[in-house]
Amino acid sequence: MKRAVMKWEIVGDVLIVVTTEGAVPDAIWNQFVRDIQTGPIRKFLGASTGATEVSSTQRKSTSEALSAKKIPTFVVTDDRLVRGVVTAAAWLGVDIKSFSWAELDKCVKQMTADPKQATLLSSTLIALKLACLAAAGEPRNSG
């Protein structure tokens, strides 16, 4: 099983995360959930460059953390499996919307009316994506 690379950063009150294809180890996922639970998070922007394999336990812990804080969630992906996870999270009560990578500008504009904040969110997401792809040894244009 391929191991995913997962990187995240808090920008203001937005937690931004990018994962590559593969499974995320529980230790990394648990730290990520703790950051959702304890950080000054009001919005969540997540993205994947492929099929991130999330266990039912990981999916549930994240959904519960986001729901408990009533955090609107925005997901950027071109992967159908990840979109299925988004649908499942919505069924669990998470306020969640998905966008393709081509719709990134639309996504961040829905997150904030401030053009400078939208640019910062988009550029941070792209930087995390590039860092994840480099760490995974994948081409920079992966999806």
Side-chain angles (χ1 to χ4, degrees), residues 21-61:
E21 179 180 350
V24 179
D26 284 335
I28 294 170
W29 194 272
N30 293 340
Q31 180 58 52
F32 166 67
V33 171
R34 276 192 295 280
D35 284 355
I36 294 171
Q37 294 168 330
T38 61
I41 310 303
R42 292 197 160 161
K43 293 180 184 172
F44 176 86
L45 175 57
S48 73
T49 63
T52 303
E53 298 168 28
V54 180
S55 71
S56 60
T57 303
Q58 290 173 330
R59 186 170 40 253
K60 185 175 186 229
S61 66

Side-chain angles (χ1 to χ4, degrees), residues 104-127:
L104 178 56
D105 285 342
K106 178 181 176 183
C107 173
V108 295
K109 286 177 183 172
Q110 284 193 21
M111 293 183 74
T112 180
D114 179 356
K116 287 182 181 177
Q117 178 73 359
T119 299
L120 179 59
L121 295 177
S122 180
S123 63
T124 302
L125 181 69
I126 296 297

Side-chain angles (χ1 to χ4, degrees), residues 5-16:
V5 174
M6 181 177 189
K7 296 185 179 290
W8 65 93
E9 186 173 329
I10 297 173
V11 176
D13 63 355
V14 179
L15 184 123
I16 303 172

